[in-house]
Amino acid sequence: MSIRDFAEDLGVSERTVSKWEAGRDTVRPRPEMQAALDTALSRAAGEAAERFVAATSRTDLDDRVGARYQVQSHKLIPAYVGVSAAAKLAKQDGFHPRPHEWLEVSIAEVPHTEGTCTAHVFACGVVVLHLRQELHFRTLAALAAWRYASYEQDLPWAADQVARLLSPPPSSDHAAPEYVLSMYVLQEPAWTGAELETALRLMSLPSVLVNRRAHPSPKPVGDHVERRLLAQGFDQPSIQSFGVRGLSVGYASWAGMAYYALSPEQALAIDDLVSCEVDVQMLWAYCRHIQRQVEDGRDPAMPPEFGWRFLRAAHSRLTTARARETSQHCMMREAALSTSGLPERLMQAQAALHETAALSGRVDA
């Protein structure tokens, strides 16, 4: 394209494009301009995209994209079923208690054709399905596309499993699963150094690597986009690091977590990561149930033992460091909490329940 045509295609002035061309490697476009350029590259014809990759990528990076890597996928799918239903579930054959610091929790295995699944039943009325799958891919974009495509199957599958566990269905207003949260634990990486950290950031926020509007299912972006991101780096303000230099690389975002243990003996154990996220998603679903009651125009009503004092205690336990808690555990917990927005939800739900309790007290008086 000519300078005029390219400027018109991007929606910028000819002077801006002329400055880019004159400045060459010294140019650092503003974020909004870089976003427009990224979009133009993603839409470019294959030949143009390959020319761009050849001009900007290191030759050794072409071999990195396409190298096989192994990742362990952990999907967490919560649903509110009610306190009475949870109590009945915990007494069913196959369920047994799981140690927990401050809640009664029972677990049981749930059959899955492509992985292993554990149902965590919390006494406060939430079931969290934890689905673990071993995966091998050659590109990060392929993992991202698999993630979004599989979500379309995961939610109805999870709803069926919850319904099966609750058969016959309880009379309480239990809710079907609404979302899936993913966490990836990298087992065998295909990257090193800065590229490894970039790869983990992309795993934690994979939407940039997939066209979610593609029909009939999400499609991965072209290899040239992934090469460019790995070569130039990728970061977003919404991504929070919880890795420790020399021990681990870990990132969290609203979309989920990604973690790699550089030193497995000293890094966080997978069970620690899973336990933290299971608790976060359990409380997220619990608060969501209270929010749903408020939005339906009802005064939220929960059993007294799981009322506003329960939420106040949960908020304190999650946001306050424990005496024997390591710095790695603190960083992981803080990253999971801040990116999920759970502390704010806990405060809102606590306030709603406290208001209902106060009104009930005045009426009784």
Side-chain angles (χ1 to χ4, degrees), residues 40-346:
L41 178 61
S42 67
R43 295 175 177 173
E47 181 181 352
E50 290 302 323
R51 286 202 305 270
F52 181 86
V53 170
T56 60
S57 298
R58 302 195 305 273
T59 56
D60 65 336
L61 189 59
D62 290 339
D63 296 330
R64 298 288 182 88
V65 176
R68 193 174 179 85
Y69 64 93
Q70 179 180 343
V71 65
Q72 193 176 83
S73 167
H74 296 264
K75 292 178 178 177
L76 302 173
I77 313 174
Y80 181 83
V81 300
V83 173
S84 60
K88 292 179 180 178
L89 275 179
K91 296 177 182 178
Q92 289 186 9
D93 292 339
F95 279 89
H96 60 273
R98 172 174 74 83
H100 195 277
E101 290 184 355
W102 50 281
L103 263 180
E104 293 182 18
V105 187
S106 296
I107 61 173
E109 297 304 310
V110 174
H112 192 279
T113 58
E114 299 177 3
T116 60
C117 183
T118 303
H120 299 251
V121 179
F122 289 82
C124 63
V126 177
V127 173
V128 179
L129 297 179
H130 168 217
L131 174 59
R132 186 180 69 186
Q133 296 167 281
E134 302 290 342
L135 307 171
H136 294 84
F137 286 103
R138 294 191 179 278
T139 66
L140 292 166
L143 172 63
W146 170 86
R147 168 188 177 132
Y148 289 110
S150 66
Y151 281 6
E152 298 178 3
Q153 302 172 354
D154 292 333
L155 283 175
W157 170 84
D160 289 343
Q161 296 304 312
V162 171
R164 181 184 64 82
L165 290 171
L166 297 177
S167 180
S171 58
S172 64
D173 53 345
H174 72 279
E178 292 184 306
Y179 68 92
V180 182
L181 182 121
S182 282
M183 178 175 68
Y184 298 119
V185 179
L186 188 59
Q187 304 288 333
E188 296 180 8
W191 319 271
T192 58
E195 291 165 12
L196 174 63
E197 298 201 8
T198 298
L200 269 292
R201 284 195 289 269
L202 287 167
M203 283 186 185
S204 73
L205 192 65
S207 57
V208 296
L209 292 174
V210 66
N211 179 6
R212 299 173 63 181
R213 298 180 180 178
H215 184 77
S217 61
K219 300 294 184 183
V221 299
D223 287 356
H224 64 280
V225 177
E226 185 170 323
R227 289 191 182 96
R228 174 176 55 81
L229 290 171
L230 285 171
Q232 299 179 359
F234 170 78
D235 203 0
Q236 290 287 340
S238 60
I239 299 177
Q240 184 168 334
S241 171
F242 63 95
V244 177
R245 184 172 297 277
L247 300 183
S248 62
V249 182
Y251 293 100
S253 78
W254 171 256
M257 279 187 171
Y259 190 75
Y260 177 62
L262 296 167
S263 176
E265 297 80 9
Q266 298 173 292
L268 293 169
I270 295 177
D271 287 347
D272 293 334
L273 292 162
V274 172
S275 295
C276 176
E277 273 295 1
V278 167
D279 284 356
V280 168
Q281 299 313 313
M282 174 273 293
L283 287 168
W284 208 99
Y286 189 83
C287 293
R288 173 69 179 116
H289 175 68
I290 296 171
Q291 176 193 16
R292 192 181 294 110
Q293 293 182 74
V294 172
E295 292 175 349
D296 289 344
R298 295 179 288 163
D299 291 332
M302 306 299 285
E305 65 270 32
F306 300 114
W308 66 270
R309 290 184 177 86
F310 165 74
L311 291 180
R312 182 180 64 181
H315 184 276
S316 177
R317 288 180 179 277
L318 288 175
T319 58
T320 306
R322 304 289 97 183
R324 297 183 179 180
E325 195 173 37
T326 68
S327 60
Q328 292 189 75
H329 285 86
C330 285
M331 294 173 63
M332 171 193 62
R333 179 172 44 76
E334 290 171 0
L337 287 173
S338 63
T339 54
S340 69
L342 179 60
E344 294 80 7
R345 283 184 169 268
L346 283 170

